[in-house]
Amino acid sequence: GSGGNEAAAPGQPDKVTVGVIPILDVAPIYLGLEKGFFDERDIDLELAQAEGGAAIVPAVVSEQYQFGFSNVVSLLLAQSEGLPVKVVSNGNNSTGVDGEDFAGLMVKGDSPIRTAKDLEGRTVAANTLSNIVDTSVRASVRKAGGDPSKVEFVALPFPEQPAALAGGQVDAVFVVEPFQQAVLAEGGRRIASSYVDAADDLTVAAYFTSQQLLSENPDLVLRFTEAMQESLSYADSHPDEARAVIGTYTKIAPEVIEKVTLPKWPAEVNRDSLQTMADLAVEDGLIEAAPDLDALLP
Amino acid sequence: MIRRIALAVALPVVLVAAWWFASAGSTDFYFPPLKRILEVFPETWFGPRMVDDVLPSLARLGIGYAAALVAGIGLGMLIGANRTLRAVVEPLLEFLRAVPPPVLVPILMLMAGIGDLMKVLVILSGCLWPILLNTVEGVRAVDEVLKDTCRSYKIRGRLRLLHLTVRSASPQIVAGARQALSIGIILMVISEMFAASSGIGFTVIQFKDGFRIPQMWSGVLLLGLLGVLLAWAFRLVERRVLGWYLGMRAGIQGVRKER
Amino acid sequence: MKVLLGLAGLVGFGVLLEIAPRIGLVPARYAPPTSDILGTLGEQARRGEFWGAVGDTLGTWLLGLVIAVVLGVVTGVAIGSVPVLRAATASTIEFLRPIPSVALIPLVVVLYGSTVEATLILVVYAAFWQVLIQTLAGVADIDPVAADTARSYHLNRWARVRWLVWPTALPYVVTGIRLAATVALILTITGELVIGSPGLGQEIANARTSGAVPVMYALIVVTGLFGVAANVLTRAAERRALAWHPSVRTEVPA
Amino acid sequence: MLTVNGLSKTYDAKGRHVEAIGDVSFSVADGEFVCVVGPSGCGKTTLLRCIAGLLPPTSGEIVVEGKVVDGPPDGLAVVFQEYGRSLFPWLRVRDNVDLPLRAAGTGKAKRRELVTGALDAVGLSDAHAAYPWQLSGGMQQRVAIARAIAYQPRVLLMDEPFAAVDAQTRADLEDLLRSVWQRLGVTLLFVTHDIDESVYLGQRVVMLSSSPTTVAEDLAIDLPAERDQLGTRADPRFTELRGQVYAQIQKAKQERT
Amino acid sequence: MLTVNGLSKTYDAKGRHVEAIGDVSFSVADGEFVCVVGPSGCGKTTLLRCIAGLLPPTSGEIVVEGKVVDGPPDGLAVVFQEYGRSLFPWLRVRDNVDLPLRAAGTGKAKRRELVTGALDAVGLSDAHAAYPWQLSGGMQQRVAIARAIAYQPRVLLMDEPFAAVDAQTRADLEDLLRSVWQRLGVTLLFVTHDIDESVYLGQRVVMLSSSPTTVAEDLAIDLPAERDQLGTRADPRFTELRGQVYAQIQKAKQERT
Ligand SMILES: Nc1ncnc2c1ncn2[C@@H]1O[C@H](COP(=O)(O)OP(=O)(O)OP(=O)(O)O)[C@@H](O)[C@H]1O
Ligand SMILES: Nc1ncnc2c1ncn2[C@@H]1O[C@H](COP(=O)(O)OP(=O)(O)OP(=O)(O)O)[C@@H](O)[C@H]1O
Ligand SMILES: [Mg+2]
Ligand SMILES: [Mg+2]
């Protein structure tokens, strides 16, 4: 371990590394760092960027990192496989507004596909399979009255999706910002906001830690949670500052940052939405038994 | 013969035993006991996944590898035999070679879509280099007296290519092809990390993302076994293609073997 | 002369990639023309972080390469010159080689976190095999008459390695190093990209998730240039070390 | 007709500058059999490689059958001094002999006849399926000779082709070569370091000085065209000529030292 | 003392089964100079490689200095027939000669003296900085000889070591070899295909039959120890011995055919 889990010497701040993905969703933690919400609580925060959960989860479990950022379905999967993870703070939620979310199910402008039901027999790109994206898209299909088992999914990272859609290699994509803007700029059309369809005010991602750290240093976890909550609330109520901070840790072009739809950043995890997600995951066969949300959530 | 087999299996047996016992009581989530990995192995791979994942992967690997052989040897002959051409293309090839597959894949996707063709191209793009480089070097190193022999006896064109250039470079080409084989397996996995819905690599990544670590390990095991199997097949081919070479070089090994 | 020809090759390729998007052969949004990429590269070069990332990547790459080459050559010569060892290790080597470094990512992260060490392990693991296999092939290429000469003059093991095995294997090793150099570079970038250890790879990942296509390509161009530089260096070293070899002695001087 | 005109050749490798051939001129008539002798390292191989169009001269020119040589001339065959390296190790003996014929587009039946004939003539009929590296040095050299003979060249250059064979085989090969020469009317340039052999075989002996090489003497061998190992070598004229060559070589040597 | 006892060697490669040596026994006393002659391909090289411990015999045994050979014996040097391939192309001439001495742990000054001396003796003092592939065939062969001489072996095996040099150089090298032999008292086994040479050089000539090889004749050469090129070769006894060897070889040949 890098020493963060040992009690710090008096007056010395705890060194804490958090694994994050350089996307819009983590703007609050960057903002909170800037605003000093972590310093105030004696947390010397360092943010480590990784491409996805592949590197973050194992690093947190092995206590290389103290905390990490991950989508909730990954955390449900991890927990159901017996990985000792524990959510400590909300990450971000969908906007809850159909047609105005930070992620969307999109087709080409001239596509005959009108609703999610039309996706039957079509190919949809998702960044990873058997995870939050395809589960949400299936929810959209169901809601539109279609049979989700007739939809074909292909794994394709977000950055590659706009080109694949434009090139006609897939019929629909599910992208988050800023790729949503990219698709729109090419004349793409949104047919559903799947995160909104999946559950009301869906908690999409959360910050988590390992059970070990929680039992060894509950005080640190508590301070981190408080700092996170303050950051989330601040970001939620100061979208302009959030937009500004995004420009510092991503390479998204400034004019795009102006346009992107930001997610919601409530301080608390929406437990009901997670229950819905867990049920969907069971229904779609991602996990076998209903997960124990109490064990996962704070 | 028995001695040879014993030699071939001794080290693997020792290593597997070491792994078995070292991991026996493991509670580490990412390092499950070997016993557990072996338990999930058959159910993971010998079911429908054999047809849905393993075979398509192998087919793509085979096509990509074969294409790399043809392209690598063909281009290598051209580049190796022609100094000016070599000077022109070498920096460019080195440039392309240094582009990591994870960033190359999106570019290939633009050109070849997301289907099998793209995956074959990814495999080709990785396997090509060891074959190409070794061919170029092999062609450059053709014995001068042999070259002179061909020149003075007017052995040119196809005959010269087949009977001098290819044959003389073949030990090095085979060394490259051997390298390329395992690189091909690796790229088979990488190609399936992008834009896939089936394949060994895809499945392994799925297991990893789904935190099904014993299954993931069983996939790693499968890839290793695949490597051994292909290397063994490779050796059979090598023995045919390089019979003269192994015989000629046996001088050194032969003495010790007979003792 | 040779340098000019090589430059011509690179420039020609650049021009091709300039024209293709301009005439609509490929979508310019996803494959920007060369001029855009180079312009962006110029912008990047004015950022301090860019040079920091370049330094990180160079460091990891070279360190990993050196370790892999040393390990590969030493093991290769040792295994290759002892037939028993060769027979005993063959199957194990074939088992370990095709295991993709990417599959090892969770494991190295568990062991080392998103650190340079984790990336380094991947780099060494991947590049090692390139050197090893080439070295083994080189050691097997010893001329029997030369080997007999060495034996009958009682060159001891070390002298045989130094004066017979090593020079014979050297052309193969050089090819191995050239292969390993790029594989190491590729894994440095990939490791940084996926694991998130600092360096160009992380910058590429960031550009990618931000949809900043020209930036991404600008960074890839830098990687490619690293590859070219590595080749120039190994070629120069080869010309010195292999002056006696037919492939070098018949080469027209640069 | 083969003419060497003011030939000179300097090797200029890094760290080693050798003026191998100083100034050599001579000519060989069509169908003539000329032997070349000279001390080790004097440039015989270099000369042959220049004539064969394998090495560009530093100055001077070579004309073969009316054409200035700037690449291997047509209908010319070479038996290299490095016989071992001039055989393709991946081809069996018969394929080694066969390959130049295939390249020349000779028909299959004809090729088989020529290959078998040539291998028989050099006494290797039972080694045709072996690889070159399975043969003894002398056998390898005989394969190289068989390859040249089967090729039926109009001009044949041979660089110490009998160096690795025993006395008896050598005598047989000498007679074989003379009969091939008489039968095919081939122009023959034969490098040897055996003085007796040069006198026994050729119509002329060109003696080279040590390098930078010049032609030290060009001696006509006026022995009868019909030669045989015992009779000719016992001929007093043979002994006389032999003595002349020997003396000339001694002289060239003394002038140097 | 070097004893070859019932040696036989069969090559059994795929597609080529050759009984190279049938049954050969002979012995060489310490400090003796024995020449071996035999037809091309009869197994002389094979015999030498067996004695040098480089090739395990199929049956029989070889004893060198009291020890049964199962690997290269100490103090033994070999000049290979394939001189070109036995030189390391990556080492300059002097380093090629020097290497065995370094391996033997000879001191630096001593090594320099031996190397320079040996290269001078074979007439290559001005080629010491060249690479082997920059030398003519005869020069390469002399490098191999220089390497063996500089090594100062107790047993020296030479496989047609003068095949590629001209008559004059050959004569010089023959005398050099005899003087080295007399000075160092080395046991010498010398394969040649030159009958005159075998008689001129050795104390005994072992004649081999063609393969499967046996010893056809073992002839003592009772010429005086002091030999010189003109005198000895003019000696009637020389002519007589030479005739005997020749006749024996002819006989062996006739028996076969
Ligand atoms: N590739 C080369 N580079 C440099 N020098 C060379 C090269 N080839 C030959 N020489 C030099 O040229 C000279 C003549 O060599 P050449 O091989 O023609 O001699 P030769 O008459 O055939 O001798 P031999 O009878 O020993 O075969 C020698 O001094 C040799 O060192
Ligand atoms: N590596 C090998 N594999 C198979 N057969 C071989 C091998 N080496 C030699 N032979 C065979 O053994 C026989 C004897 O060969 P060897 O080289 O000992 O003859 P030699 O007496 O040295 O002839 P030369 O005077 O021509 O050099 C030959 O028939 C040859 O074909
Ligand atoms: Mg020569
Ligand atoms: Mg021999």
Side-chain angles (χ1 to χ4, degrees):
Chain A
S2 56
N5 52 348
E6 289 138 35
Q12 281 282 330
D14 287 287
K15 267 188 77 75
V16 163
T17 309
V18 181
V20 295
I21 308 169
I23 49 178
L24 306 182
D25 312 34
V26 298
I29 197 168
Y30 278 93
L31 198 52
L33 178 64
E34 208 178 279
K35 292 282 160 201
F37 300 154
F38 292 91
D39 287 341
E40 284 166 17
R41 292 173 176 84
D42 273 346
I43 292 175
D44 178 7
L45 187 71
E46 190 187 325
L47 295 171
Q49 290 186 4
E51 204 195 21
I56 297 179
V57 176
V60 170
V61 170
S62 62
E63 297 185 75
Q64 306 281 348
Y65 295 165
Q66 283 67 52
F67 303 96
F69 176 84
S70 169
N71 85 61
V72 291
V73 173
S74 281
L75 292 174
L76 286 171
L77 289 171
Q79 197 224 8
S80 74
E81 291 294 332
L83 208 57
V85 288
K86 183 81 180 173
V87 170
V88 295
S89 159
N90 196 27
N92 60 311
N93 288 22
S94 76
T95 57
V97 185
D98 193 5
E100 274 174 48
D101 197 11
F102 72 99
L105 184 57
M106 332 240 337
V107 296
K108 254 168 121 166
D110 56 1
S111 167
I113 299 170
R114 295 279 139 201
T115 68
K117 182 181 188 313
D118 299 340
L119 290 177
E120 286 183 357
R122 305 292 189 131
T123 307
V124 182
N127 67 333
T128 51
L129 301 193
S130 303
N131 211 303
I132 189 163
V133 167
D134 54 332
T135 306
S136 303
V137 170
R138 275 191 288 264
S140 290
V141 176
R142 261 189 218 104
K143 194 176 160 203
D147 178 357
S149 66
K150 292 198 177 127
V151 181
E152 182 112 19
F153 286 95
V154 56
L156 197 62
F158 289 133
E160 271 67 69
Q161 293 190 14
L165 183 68
Q169 288 138 13
V170 292
D171 301 304
V173 296
F174 182 88
V175 281
V176 295
E177 296 287 14
F179 302 106
Q180 187 168 239
Q181 295 304 321
V183 177
L184 288 174
E186 288 222 333
R189 182 155 50 76
R190 177 164 35 210
I191 57 168
S193 300
S194 299
Y195 285 162
V196 179
D197 293 342
D200 290 337
D201 298 322
L202 172 69
T203 288
V204 175
Y207 294 86
F208 67 99
T209 187
S210 65
Q211 296 283 4
Q212 302 97 286
L213 184 71
L214 183 63
S215 52
E216 284 162 19
N217 201 343
D219 172 58
L220 173 65
V221 175
L222 191 67
R223 280 183 281 141
F224 178 80
T225 304
E226 282 170 15
M228 256 338 289
Q229 283 173 340
E230 187 175 359
S231 306
L232 290 166
S233 306
Y234 187 87
D236 209 34
S237 51
H238 298 82
D240 289 343
E241 286 185 47
R243 278 183 209 276
V245 83
I246 288 170
T248 64
Y249 68 88
T250 72
K251 295 189 191 310
I252 304 175
E255 65 275 14
V256 178
I257 295 182
E258 284 307 305
K259 279 192 282 186
V260 294
T261 310
L262 294 180
K264 284 279 169 213
W265 287 301
E268 295 300 333
V269 176
N270 179 351
R271 196 193 154 100
D272 291 344
S273 74
L274 286 198
Q275 188 60 57
T276 314
M277 225 46 216
D279 294 344
L280 286 173
V282 174
E283 186 178 344
D284 290 343
L286 268 62
I287 36 183
E288 272 147 32
D292 179 4
L293 279 189
D294 290 331
L296 180 64
L297 297 182
Chain B
M1 189 63 197
I2 293 172
R3 203 175 111 86
R4 269 200 18 224
I5 295 176
L7 263 181
V9 297
L11 184 62
V13 166
V14 169
L15 290 178
V16 168
W19 183 4
W20 180 279
F21 290 112
S23 69
S26 169
T27 53
D28 193 321
F29 187 79
Y30 283 96
F31 296 99
L34 179 56
K35 187 158 176 288
R36 175 94 188 93
I37 297 171
L38 292 181
E39 272 165 20
V40 302
F41 190 94
E43 68 194 57
T44 308
W45 297 108
F46 292 156
R49 282 215 180 86
M50 198 61 171
V51 181
D52 294 344
D53 293 313
V54 178
L55 295 183
S57 281
L58 287 182
R60 289 191 290 257
L61 173 63
I63 297 171
Y65 184 71
L69 274 182
V70 173
I73 297 177
L75 285 176
M77 294 281 151
L78 275 178
I79 297 172
N82 187 325
R83 276 197 296 259
T84 317
L85 182 63
R86 183 156 68 241
V88 173
V89 297
E90 198 173 280
L92 178 57
L93 291 178
E94 294 302 320
F95 181 89
L96 294 177
R97 207 153 67 81
V99 177
V103 296
L104 184 74
V105 174
I107 305 172
L108 285 178
M109 260 166 15
L110 280 183
M111 302 184 314
I114 59 173
D116 287 339
L117 178 61
M118 180 275 283
K119 296 183 186 89
V120 167
L121 281 179
V122 172
I123 295 173
L124 167 68
S125 74
C127 293
L128 181 66
W129 305 115
I131 301 176
L132 181 70
L133 254 62
N134 271 292
T135 308
V136 169
E137 297 310 309
V139 172
R140 280 176 71 197
V142 174
D143 189 287
E144 283 149 283
V145 179
L146 284 182
K147 272 197 253 184
D148 283 350
T149 305
C150 280
R151 283 181 67 195
S152 59
Y153 283 105
K154 305 276 183 241
I155 300 166
R156 307 193 185 105
R158 203 179 60 90
L159 271 188
R160 184 180 192 280
L161 191 73
L162 286 181
H163 290 288
L164 176 72
T165 320
V166 174
R167 297 305 291 275
S168 156
S170 55
Q172 226 151 326
I173 296 178
V174 167
R178 180 183 285 280
Q179 294 265 34
L181 196 59
S182 54
I183 293 183
I185 300 180
I186 293 174
L187 280 154
M188 174 186 91
V189 173
I190 291 189
S191 73
E192 291 167 1
M193 286 168 64
F194 298 87
S197 44
S198 73
I200 305 175
F202 169 79
T203 315
V204 170
I205 304 294
Q206 279 299 114
F207 287 145
K208 190 183 66 154
D209 288 347
F211 306 100
R212 301 174 67 183
I213 301 304
Q215 282 84 349
M216 182 197 93
W217 271 106
S218 78
V220 173
L221 209 64
L222 178 72
L223 291 171
L225 290 177
L226 212 61
V228 175
L229 215 68
L230 290 179
W232 177 73
F234 187 90
R235 194 158 303 169
L236 290 186
V237 177
E238 181 186 18
R239 221 167 269 165
R240 287 200 70 101
V241 177
L242 285 189
W244 63 273
Y245 178 74
L246 301 174
M248 190 166 81
R249 291 291 184 252
I252 331 166
Q253 267 88 30
V255 180
R256 295 186 192 139
K257 210 169 65 199
E258 283 176 53
R259 285 252 167 77
Chain C
M1 183 59 197
K2 216 168 153 179
V3 178
L4 285 183
L5 286 176
L7 269 180
L10 282 178
V11 169
F13 183 67
V15 168
L16 201 75
L17 292 193
E18 174 76 29
I19 295 172
R22 294 238 183 261
I23 62 171
L25 218 59
V26 287
R29 179 190 289 271
Y30 307 115
T34 315
S35 51
D36 281 11
I37 297 176
L38 293 182
T40 317
L41 184 58
E43 283 165 28
Q44 291 290 318
R46 283 193 288 277
R47 288 171 53 229
E49 298 127 70
F50 169 79
W51 292 107
V54 166
D56 285 335
T57 299
L58 270 181
T60 316
W61 174 34
L62 292 182
L63 184 59
L65 181 61
V66 167
I67 298 176
V69 167
V70 171
L71 277 182
V73 167
V74 170
T75 343
V77 169
I79 292 178
S81 30
V82 184
V84 176
L85 271 185
R86 172 117 215 215
T89 51
S91 51
T92 310
I93 290 176
E94 297 306 337
F95 179 86
L96 292 175
R97 274 171 63 214
I99 293 177
S101 300
V102 285
L104 300 177
I105 285 175
L107 310 173
V108 296
V109 171
V110 167
L111 293 173
Y112 295 100
S114 294
T115 56
V116 174
E117 284 90 337
T119 306
L120 209 54
I121 297 278
L122 293 184
V123 172
V124 171
Y125 183 84
F128 169 74
W129 300 115
Q130 312 280 319
V131 185
L132 179 71
I133 296 303
Q134 289 289 137
T135 311
L136 284 177
V139 172
D141 195 32
I142 291 170
D143 187 305
V145 178
D148 281 350
T149 306
R151 259 156 58 81
S152 64
Y153 281 105
H154 287 279
L155 267 58
N156 60 26
R157 177 137 290 185
W158 167 244
R160 278 216 291 264
V161 166
R162 170 67 188 82
W163 301 108
L164 174 66
V165 178
W166 175 241
T168 308
L170 197 55
Y172 286 81
V173 172
V174 169
T175 307
I177 294 178
R178 291 179 59 209
L179 285 168
T182 27
V183 166
L185 178 58
I186 286 174
L187 270 131
T188 307
I189 301 284
T190 311
E192 290 167 354
L193 204 129
V194 180
I195 297 178
S197 69
L200 275 179
Q202 200 190 40
E203 295 270 307
I204 292 178
N206 197 326
R208 216 157 81 91
T209 43
S210 301
V213 177
V215 179
M216 184 179 97
Y217 282 109
L219 296 172
I220 292 173
V221 166
V222 177
T223 342
L225 292 179
F226 279 0
V228 176
N231 186 53
V232 169
L233 289 180
T234 39
R235 279 289 192 218
E238 178 191 72
R239 263 198 301 281
R240 293 187 66 99
L242 293 180
W244 53 271
H245 194 262
S247 65
V248 174
R249 68 189 196 227
T250 55
E251 202 82 346
V252 166
Chain D
M1 184 72 169
L2 189 161
T3 317
V4 177
N5 231 328
L7 182 79
S8 84
K9 174 74 197 179
T10 306
Y11 288 103
D12 205 0
K14 207 168 42 196
R16 187 172 163 81
H17 175 97
V18 183
E19 200 182 336
I21 300 188
D23 179 2
V24 167
S25 304
F26 67 96
S27 69
V28 183
D30 276 341
E32 204 179 2
F33 192 148
V34 173
C35 292
V36 177
V37 296
S40 173
C42 76
K44 303 182 292 295
T45 300
T46 306
L47 172 67
L48 242 59
R49 283 167 51 83
C50 288
I51 297 176
L54 297 169
L55 200 67
T58 306
S59 69
E61 64 168 20
I62 289 159
V63 182
V64 171
E65 296 184 333
K67 278 200 278 298
V68 174
V69 169
D70 62 348
D74 279 337
L76 178 144
V78 186
V79 176
F80 291 89
Q81 185 177 15
E82 294 134 308
Y83 53 92
R85 279 171 65 195
S86 89
L87 299 176
F88 298 90
W90 44 84
L91 293 182
R92 293 174 190 279
V93 163
R94 60 162 174 268
D95 298 324
N96 261 293
V97 179
D98 191 38
L99 189 59
L101 298 174
R102 282 178 67 178
T106 314
K108 197 154 184 174
K110 179 82 180 157
R111 261 161 47 206
R112 183 184 323 224
E113 185 195 315
L114 285 169
V115 171
T116 319
L119 285 175
D120 279 355
V122 300
L124 284 179
S125 18
D126 54 354
H128 67 102
Y131 286 105
W133 38 270
Q134 292 178 325
L135 301 183
S136 77
M139 293 161 93
Q140 289 176 16
Q141 199 162 33
R142 283 182 278 156
V143 176
I145 295 169
R147 178 167 63 185
I149 291 176
Y151 189 60
Q152 302 197 297
R154 291 193 304 281
V155 181
L156 178 54
L157 311 179
M158 303 181 93
D159 199 353
E160 309 192 3
F162 305 151
V165 296
D166 62 292
Q168 182 59 49
T169 311
R170 185 174 198 132
D172 296 346
L173 289 175
E174 283 167 4
D175 292 338
L176 169 70
L177 188 63
R178 274 194 65 86
S179 84
V180 167
W181 165 66
Q182 280 163 336
R183 208 176 64 233
L184 298 182
V186 53
T187 309
L188 237 161
L189 199 64
F190 186 97
V191 169
T192 177
H193 44 249
D194 184 329
I195 295 168
D196 288 30
E197 184 169 85
S198 71
V199 175
Y200 176 74
L201 276 180
Q203 299 175 298
R204 261 167 66 206
V205 176
V206 172
M207 279 163 271
L208 301 179
S209 71
S210 57
S211 67
T213 310
T214 52
V215 176
E217 167 109 44
D218 190 336
L219 187 74
I221 304 294
D222 49 5
L223 291 169
E226 276 310 310
R227 302 183 189 176
D228 70 293
Q229 294 288 350
L230 291 179
T232 306
R233 285 181 199 259
D235 188 331
R237 180 65 189 144
F238 179 88
T239 322
E240 196 176 319
L241 287 166
R242 187 181 171 283
Q244 277 183 33
V245 176
Y246 200 79
Q248 180 57 42
I249 286 177
Q250 289 295 89
K251 205 176 109 212
K253 208 178 139 107
Q254 254 132 36
E255 270 166 21
R256 301 256 139 216
T257 42
Chain E
M1 184 74 169
L2 187 162
T3 316
V4 178
N5 230 327
L7 181 78
S8 83
K9 174 71 198 180
T10 306
Y11 288 103
D12 206 0
K14 206 169 44 195
R16 185 171 167 83
H17 175 97
V18 184
E19 201 182 337
I21 300 188
D23 181 2
V24 166
S25 303
F26 67 95
S27 68
V28 182
D30 277 342
E32 204 178 3
F33 193 148
V34 174
C35 292
V36 177
V37 297
S40 173
C42 77
K44 302 180 293 295
T45 300
T46 306
L47 173 67
L48 241 60
R49 284 166 50 85
C50 288
I51 296 176
L54 297 169
L55 199 68
T58 307
S59 71
E61 64 168 21
I62 289 158
V63 183
V64 170
E65 296 185 332
K67 279 199 279 292
V68 174
V69 169
D70 63 346
D74 278 338
L76 178 143
V78 187
V79 176
F80 291 89
Q81 186 176 14
E82 293 135 310
Y83 52 91
R85 283 170 62 196
S86 93
L87 298 176
F88 296 145
W90 43 83
L91 294 182
R92 292 174 191 277
V93 163
R94 58 158 177 270
D95 298 323
N96 261 294
V97 178
D98 189 37
L99 185 58
L101 299 172
R102 284 179 68 168
T106 314
K108 197 154 183 175
K110 178 83 182 157
R111 262 162 44 207
R112 183 183 323 223
E113 184 195 314
L114 285 169
V115 170
T116 318
L119 284 176
D120 279 355
V122 299
L124 285 180
S125 16
D126 53 354
H128 66 104
Y131 285 104
W133 38 269
Q134 292 178 323
L135 300 183
S136 77
M139 292 162 93
Q140 289 176 17
Q141 199 162 31
R142 284 182 276 155
V143 176
I145 296 169
R147 177 167 65 186
I149 291 177
Y151 190 59
Q152 302 196 300
R154 291 194 303 281
V155 181
L156 178 54
L157 311 179
M158 303 180 93
D159 198 352
E160 310 192 3
F162 305 150
V165 297
D166 63 291
Q168 182 58 47
T169 312
R170 186 174 198 133
D172 295 346
L173 289 174
E174 282 167 4
D175 291 338
L176 169 71
L177 187 63
R178 274 194 65 87
S179 83
V180 167
W181 167 64
Q182 281 164 334
R183 208 175 65 231
L184 300 181
V186 53
T187 309
L188 238 160
L189 199 65
F190 186 98
V191 168
T192 176
H193 45 248
D194 184 329
I195 295 168
D196 287 29
E197 183 169 86
S198 70
V199 175
Y200 177 74
L201 277 180
Q203 299 174 298
R204 261 167 64 206
V205 175
V206 173
M207 278 163 273
L208 301 179
S209 72
S210 58
S211 68
T213 311
T214 53
V215 176
E217 167 110 44
D218 191 336
L219 187 74
I221 304 293
D222 48 6
L223 291 169
E226 277 310 310
R227 301 183 189 177
D228 70 293
Q229 293 287 351
L230 291 179
T232 307
R233 286 181 197 257
D235 189 332
R237 180 66 189 145
F238 179 87
T239 321
E240 197 177 317
L241 287 165
R242 186 180 171 283
Q244 276 183 36
V245 175
Y246 199 78
Q248 180 58 40
I249 285 177
Q250 289 293 90
K251 206 176 108 211
K253 205 180 141 106
Q254 255 132 38
E255 270 165 20
R256 300 257 139 216
T257 42

